[in-house]
Amino acid sequence: MLFKDILGLTHIKNHLTSSADAGRIPHAQMFVGPEGCGTLSMALAYMQYIVCGNQNGENSGGNSACNLKFNSLTHPDLHFAFPVANSSKVKSHAVANHYMEEWRQFVQEQPYGNLFDWYRCIGIEKKQGQIGVDEASEIVKKLTLKSYEGGYKVMLIWMAEKINNAAANKLLKLIEEPPEKTVFILITEDEEQIIQTIRSRCQILHFPPLAEEAIANGLVTEGLSNEEAQRLAHEANGNYNKALDLMNNDSEDLVFEKWFVQWVRSAFKAKGNKGAIHELILWSEEVAKTGRETQKKFLQYCMTVMRQAMLVNFNVKELAFMKIHVDGFNLEKFAPFIHENNILSIVSELENAMYHIERNGNSKIILTDLSIKLTRLLHKKATV
């Protein structure tokens, strides 16, 4: 991965290359940014830059053999850890090494991909992956070995918020005092989920969402017209992965839209109508059949819709990027029902549902309870 292939983020590229050129390479860094902003791509380009001895931000020069191995993600001083779970391929004690072939394919094809894309790639979309103590032992083992080519060796931990407590405690000492010329890069979308003792040992670099112009330029290179690229870039709201999904009509949001509209319509009908409660229960059963990661992503999607509706209601439509494609549903007509008297309660209930689903609560019960609460909240009156 080369810096020139990464969309936007010129200031971060300049910061990383100038600090590396000056010999200021922190031994532990954390790249924090929302989905689709390019943290993984940037980390790969940065690691290639420091390991291969490239001399500028384009990764030209340097060691051509090293660059070739990096491009195929087979360099012996390049190590990875990422969330995994047991599957039909790996029956027990799954670690990253078991999925390296799939990982290389994923990074080559979806460098801006999200966690759910990765779970689908390895067939565990109905499970919750983690970076566990077995993975921590593998990391310790890999990094105690000397560098194969005598220079830097790097460990990239993708979605570091999935490190469980046992693994985090095992890695603390190594992250604080790694062997000479060893670099950790932790990538996360939510740094608050990472224990403070690890965060305090890392130099943190925050990534913003991608600019619309950068996303549009990327979509044009994929073959879209300028007008269509601009439209999708606005709807993607800084997420290049979502923009690509929208372009390919492969976004999970298209499924989430149908679920959301069905859910909201049933909730409106439920006031004074006992039969509609049955519809909400059937809806809950349908969503509960999916994997927990899908359910969590759907609830996150619902929070986004609610916030967008509130912006429309408060007449700041220029900030409302979302478009719902379900026939007959108009966000502007829905917006008056999301106001200052219920938005905080709605978001709180959605967050609580995500919390309990993540901790293996009964999804059907959680979603049914959420549906009944949503019915009450949607009918709450706004302040006149």
Side-chain angles (χ1 to χ4, degrees):
M1 181 68 69
L2 307 181
F3 282 122
K4 66 182 179 64
D5 298 325
I6 299 172
L7 301 176
L9 305 175
T10 303
H11 64 295
I12 292 180
K13 297 175 189 176
N14 292 338
H15 165 72
L16 292 174
T17 54
S18 60
S19 60
D21 292 342
R24 299 191 305 272
I25 302 175
H27 68 270
Q29 301 178 64
M30 185 178 294
F31 290 4
V32 182
E35 177 193 333
C37 72
T39 46
L40 176 58
S41 300
M42 189 70 77
L44 290 168
Y46 177 54
M47 293 191 297
Q48 186 167 346
Y49 188 83
I50 62 178
V51 172
C52 297
N54 297 323
Q55 298 303 308
N56 60 56
E58 301 297 308
N59 288 60
S60 61
N63 185 324
S64 58
C66 175
N67 285 321
L68 190 63
K69 284 181 276 191
F70 248 89
N71 290 338
S72 61
L73 303 180
T74 56
H75 195 287
D77 293 326
L78 171 63
H79 305 287
F80 294 101
F82 37 79
V84 295
N86 296 332
S87 65
S88 57
K89 176 183 176 180
V90 183
K91 301 299 183 183
S92 64
H93 299 286
V95 293
N97 274 356
H98 294 137
Y99 295 102
M100 282 310 301
E101 182 180 345
E102 292 87 348
W103 173 253
R104 292 187 181 107
Q105 180 183 353
F106 173 75
V107 173
Q108 297 286 353
E109 296 178 358
Q110 296 178 275
Y112 288 83
N114 60 29
L115 187 60
F116 186 66
D117 293 331
W118 168 239
Y119 287 168
R120 284 197 298 186
C121 183
I122 59 175
I124 62 166
E125 60 269 28
K126 292 192 175 182
K127 298 183 179 181
Q128 297 189 82
Q130 67 171 0
I131 300 172
V133 69
D134 290 329
E135 191 69 68
S137 298
E138 289 290 314
I139 292 172
V140 172
K141 189 187 306 180
K142 291 172 184 175
L143 297 185
T144 52
L145 301 174
K146 289 185 177 180
S147 168
Y148 185 81
E149 295 191 352
Y152 281 97
K153 58 180 182 288
V154 291
M155 169 59 70
L156 187 153
I157 304 179
W158 184 64
M159 292 296 174
E161 60 265 41
K162 294 298 182 181
I163 300 174
N164 65 23
N165 287 337
N169 291 328
K170 192 175 183 66
L171 293 173
L172 277 177
K173 185 67 175 175
L174 184 62
I175 292 176
E176 184 176 18
E177 297 179 8
E180 186 180 4
K181 285 196 169 183
T182 297
V183 177
F184 277 93
I185 298 182
L186 284 69
I187 296 176
T188 178
E189 293 179 2
D190 186 1
E191 61 182 302
E192 296 300 321
Q193 289 191 40
I194 300 174
I195 62 171
Q196 175 60 28
T197 45
I198 284 186
R199 276 188 284 154
S200 65
R201 287 160 170 78
C202 298
Q203 184 178 100
I204 298 177
L205 185 60
H206 288 97
F207 284 59
L210 286 178
E212 280 189 24
E213 183 182 359
I215 293 178
N217 290 339
L219 294 176
V220 168
T221 63
E222 295 289 333
L224 285 187
S225 66
N226 283 324
E227 183 180 352
E228 183 68 4
Q230 290 289 347
R231 184 184 70 79
L232 293 184
H234 179 69
E235 190 174 343
N237 191 37
N239 182 344
Y240 187 58
N241 185 51
K242 181 176 180 179
L244 290 174
D245 284 346
L246 290 170
M247 181 185 74
N248 297 319
N249 291 317
D250 188 36
S251 174
E252 58 264 20
D253 285 3
L254 298 176
V255 176
F256 294 165
E257 286 176 3
K258 295 177 183 177
W259 288 353
F260 177 80
V261 172
Q262 180 187 352
W263 188 33
V264 168
R265 285 173 174 166
S266 296
F268 277 119
K269 287 166 57 180
K271 185 178 183 181
N273 180 0
K274 294 180 180 179
I277 296 295
H278 183 62
E279 289 184 22
L280 288 172
I281 294 173
L282 291 177
W283 175 89
S284 301
E285 289 176 347
E286 179 186 350
V287 178
K289 291 175 184 176
T290 63
R292 293 185 182 277
E293 287 299 325
T294 303
Q295 294 162 25
K296 285 157 54 183
K297 279 186 69 66
F298 169 66
L299 294 175
Q300 186 67 55
Y301 170 84
C302 292
M303 278 192 272
T304 303
V305 177
M306 297 299 183
R307 288 165 178 155
Q308 291 282 289
M310 187 184 68
L311 290 174
V312 173
N313 192 15
F314 282 30
N315 291 318
V316 280
K317 297 179 183 179
E318 63 274 11
L319 298 180
F321 61 87
M322 181 169 277
K323 180 180 179 182
I324 294 182
H325 304 84
V326 176
D327 289 340
F329 186 88
N330 189 319
L331 189 62
E332 292 190 5
K333 292 182 178 178
F334 174 67
F337 295 93
I338 307 299
H339 45 76
E340 69 280 2
N341 280 350
N342 64 6
I343 181 63
L344 292 178
S345 297
I346 289 173
V347 170
S348 176
E349 294 298 344
L350 289 166
E351 288 176 340
N352 287 338
M354 286 179 64
Y355 175 87
H356 292 298
I357 285 172
E358 189 167 32
R359 280 149 186 80
N360 295 320
N362 185 304
S363 298
K364 181 182 173 182
I365 294 175
I366 293 167
L367 292 170
T368 301
D369 178 64
L370 176 64
S371 300
I372 294 170
K373 289 175 177 175
L374 177 70
T375 299
R376 295 169 180 161
L377 290 169
L378 285 178
H379 287 94
K380 198 170 185 178
K381 298 294 184 182
T383 302
V384 179

